[in-house]
Coordinates of all heavy atoms in Angstrom, one line a residue:
G1 N 4.7 -3.7 -8.6 CA 6.0 -3.4 -8.2 C 6.3 -3.6 -6.8 O 7.3 -4.3 -6.4
L2 N 5.4 -3.2 -5.9 CA 5.5 -3.5 -4.5 C 5.5 -4.9 -4.2 O 6.3 -5.5 -3.4 CB 4.4 -2.7 -3.7 CG 4.5 -1.2 -3.7 CD1 3.3 -0.6 -3.0 CD2 5.7 -0.8 -2.9
S3 N 4.5 -5.7 -4.8 CA 4.4 -7.1 -4.6 C 5.7 -7.8 -5.0 O 6.1 -8.8 -4.4 CB 3.2 -7.7 -5.3 OG 2.0 -7.2 -4.8
Y4 N 6.3 -7.4 -6.1 CA 7.6 -8.0 -6.6 C 8.7 -7.8 -5.5 O 9.4 -8.7 -5.2 CB 8.0 -7.4 -7.9 CG 9.4 -7.8 -8.3 CD1 9.5 -9.0 -9.0 CD2 10.5 -7.0 -8.1 CE1 10.8 -9.5 -9.4 CE2 11.7 -7.4 -8.5 CZ 11.9 -8.7 -9.2 OH 13.1 -9.1 -9.6
Y5 N 8.9 -6.6 -5.0 CA 9.9 -6.3 -4.0 C 9.6 -6.9 -2.6 O 10.5 -7.0 -1.8 CB 10.2 -4.8 -4.0 CG 10.9 -4.3 -5.2 CD1 10.3 -3.3 -6.0 CD2 12.2 -4.7 -5.5 CE1 11.0 -2.8 -7.1 CE2 12.9 -4.2 -6.6 CZ 12.3 -3.3 -7.4 OH 12.9 -2.8 -8.5
L6 N 8.4 -7.2 -2.4 CA 8.0 -7.9 -1.1 C 8.3 -9.3 -1.1 O 8.3 -10.0 0.0 CB 6.5 -7.7 -0.8 CG 6.1 -6.2 -0.4 CD1 4.6 -6.1 -0.5 CD2 6.5 -6.0 1.1
K7 N 8.6 -9.9 -2.2 CA 9.0 -11.4 -2.3 C 10.3 -11.5 -1.5 O 11.2 -10.7 -1.6 CB 9.1 -11.9 -3.7 CG 7.7 -11.9 -4.4 CD 7.8 -12.6 -5.8 CE 8.6 -11.9 -6.8 NZ 8.6 -12.5 -8.1
P8 N 10.6 -12.7 -0.8 CA 9.7 -13.9 -0.8 C 8.8 -13.9 0.4 O 8.2 -14.9 0.8 CB 10.8 -15.0 -0.6 CG 11.8 -14.3 0.3 CD 11.9 -12.9 -0.2
H9 N 8.6 -12.7 1.1 CA 7.7 -12.7 2.3 C 6.2 -12.8 1.9 O 5.8 -12.4 0.8 CB 7.9 -11.4 3.0 CG 9.3 -11.2 3.4 ND1 9.9 -11.8 4.5 CD2 10.4 -10.4 2.9 CE1 11.1 -11.4 4.7 NE2 11.5 -10.6 3.7
A10 N 5.4 -13.4 2.8 CA 4.0 -13.6 2.5 C 3.2 -12.3 2.7 O 2.3 -12.2 3.5 CB 3.5 -14.7 3.4
V11 N 3.6 -11.3 2.0 CA 2.9 -10.0 2.0 C 2.7 -9.6 0.6 O 3.6 -9.6 -0.2 CB 3.8 -8.9 2.7 CG1 3.0 -7.6 2.8 CG2 4.2 -9.3 4.1
V12 N 1.4 -9.3 0.2 CA 1.1 -9.0 -1.2 C 0.2 -7.7 -1.2 O -0.6 -7.5 -0.3 CB 0.3 -10.2 -1.8 CG1 -0.2 -9.8 -3.2 CG2 1.2 -11.3 -1.9
V13 N 0.4 -6.9 -2.2 CA -0.4 -5.7 -2.5 C -1.6 -6.1 -3.4 O -1.3 -6.6 -4.5 CB 0.3 -4.5 -3.0 CG1 -0.6 -3.4 -3.4 CG2 1.4 -4.1 -2.0
L14 N -2.8 -6.0 -2.9 CA -4.0 -6.4 -3.7 C -4.4 -5.3 -4.6 O -5.0 -5.5 -5.7 CB -5.1 -6.8 -2.8 CG -4.8 -8.0 -1.8 CD1 -6.0 -8.1 -0.8 CD2 -4.5 -9.2 -2.6
D15 N -4.3 -4.0 -4.2 CA -4.8 -2.9 -4.9 C -4.0 -1.6 -4.6 O -3.4 -1.6 -3.5 CB -6.3 -2.7 -4.7 CG -7.0 -2.0 -5.8 OD1 -6.4 -1.5 -6.7 OD2 -8.3 -1.9 -5.7
A16 N -4.0 -0.7 -5.5 CA -3.3 0.6 -5.2 C -4.0 1.6 -6.0 O -4.5 1.4 -7.1 CB -1.8 0.5 -5.7
T17 N -4.1 2.8 -5.4 CA -4.8 4.0 -6.0 C -4.2 5.3 -5.5 O -3.9 5.4 -4.3 CB -6.3 3.9 -5.8 OG1 -7.0 4.9 -6.5 CG2 -6.6 4.0 -4.3
P18 N -4.1 6.3 -6.4 CA -3.7 7.6 -5.9 C -4.8 8.3 -5.0 O -6.0 8.2 -5.3 CB -3.4 8.4 -7.2 CG -4.3 7.7 -8.2 CD -4.4 6.3 -7.8
V19 N -4.3 9.0 -4.0 CA -5.3 9.7 -3.2 C -4.7 11.1 -2.9 O -3.6 11.4 -3.1 CB -5.5 9.0 -1.8 CG1 -6.3 7.7 -2.0 CG2 -4.2 8.7 -1.1
A20 N -5.6 12.0 -2.4 CA -5.1 13.3 -2.0 C -4.2 13.3 -0.9 O -4.2 12.4 0.0 CB -6.4 14.2 -1.7
L21 N -3.3 14.3 -0.8 CA -2.3 14.4 0.3 C -2.9 14.5 1.7 O -2.3 14.2 2.7 CB -1.4 15.5 0.1 CG -0.4 15.4 -1.1 CD1 0.4 16.6 -1.3 CD2 0.5 14.2 -0.9
D22 N -4.2 15.0 1.8 CA -4.8 15.1 3.1 C -5.6 13.8 3.5 O -6.3 13.7 4.5 CB -5.7 16.3 3.2 CG -6.9 16.3 2.2 OD1 -6.9 15.4 1.3 OD2 -7.8 17.2 2.2
W23 N -5.6 12.8 2.6 CA -6.2 11.5 2.9 C -5.3 10.7 3.7 O -4.1 10.6 3.5 CB -6.6 10.8 1.5 CG -7.4 9.5 1.7 CD1 -8.7 9.5 1.7 CD2 -6.9 8.2 2.0 NE1 -9.1 8.2 1.9 CE2 -8.0 7.4 2.0 CE3 -5.6 7.7 2.1 CZ2 -7.9 6.0 2.3 CZ3 -5.5 6.3 2.4 CH2 -6.7 5.5 2.4
S24 N -5.9 10.0 4.7 CA -5.1 9.2 5.6 C -5.7 7.8 5.8 O -6.9 7.7 6.0 CB -5.0 9.9 7.0 OG -4.5 9.0 8.0
A25 N -4.8 6.8 5.6 CA -5.3 5.4 5.8 C -5.9 5.2 7.2 O -6.8 4.5 7.4 CB -4.2 4.5 5.6
R26 N -5.3 6.0 8.2 CA -5.8 5.8 9.6 C -7.0 6.8 9.9 O -8.0 6.3 10.3 CB -4.6 6.2 10.5 CG -5.0 6.1 12.0 CD -3.8 6.5 12.9 NE -4.2 6.4 14.3 CZ -3.4 6.9 15.3 NH1 -2.2 7.4 15.0 NH2 -3.8 6.8 16.6
F27 N -6.8 8.1 9.7 CA -7.8 9.0 10.1 C -9.0 9.2 9.2 O -10.0 9.7 9.7 CB -7.1 10.4 10.4 CG -6.1 10.3 11.5 CD1 -4.7 10.5 11.2 CD2 -6.5 10.1 12.8 CE1 -3.8 10.4 12.2 CE2 -5.5 10.1 13.8 CZ -4.2 10.2 13.6
S28 N -8.8 8.7 8.0 CA -10.0 8.8 7.1 C -10.9 7.6 7.2 O -12.0 7.5 6.6 CB -9.5 9.0 5.6 OG -8.7 10.1 5.5
A29 N -10.4 6.6 7.9 CA -11.2 5.3 8.0 C -12.5 5.5 8.9 O -12.4 6.2 9.9 CB -10.4 4.2 8.7

């Protein structure tokens, strides 16, 4: 769904997964 709405821009979602609300893409890295 995200990849569809991102068209026609060269941005694609490769993977998606649910995570806990305290998980952070920035601070959990």
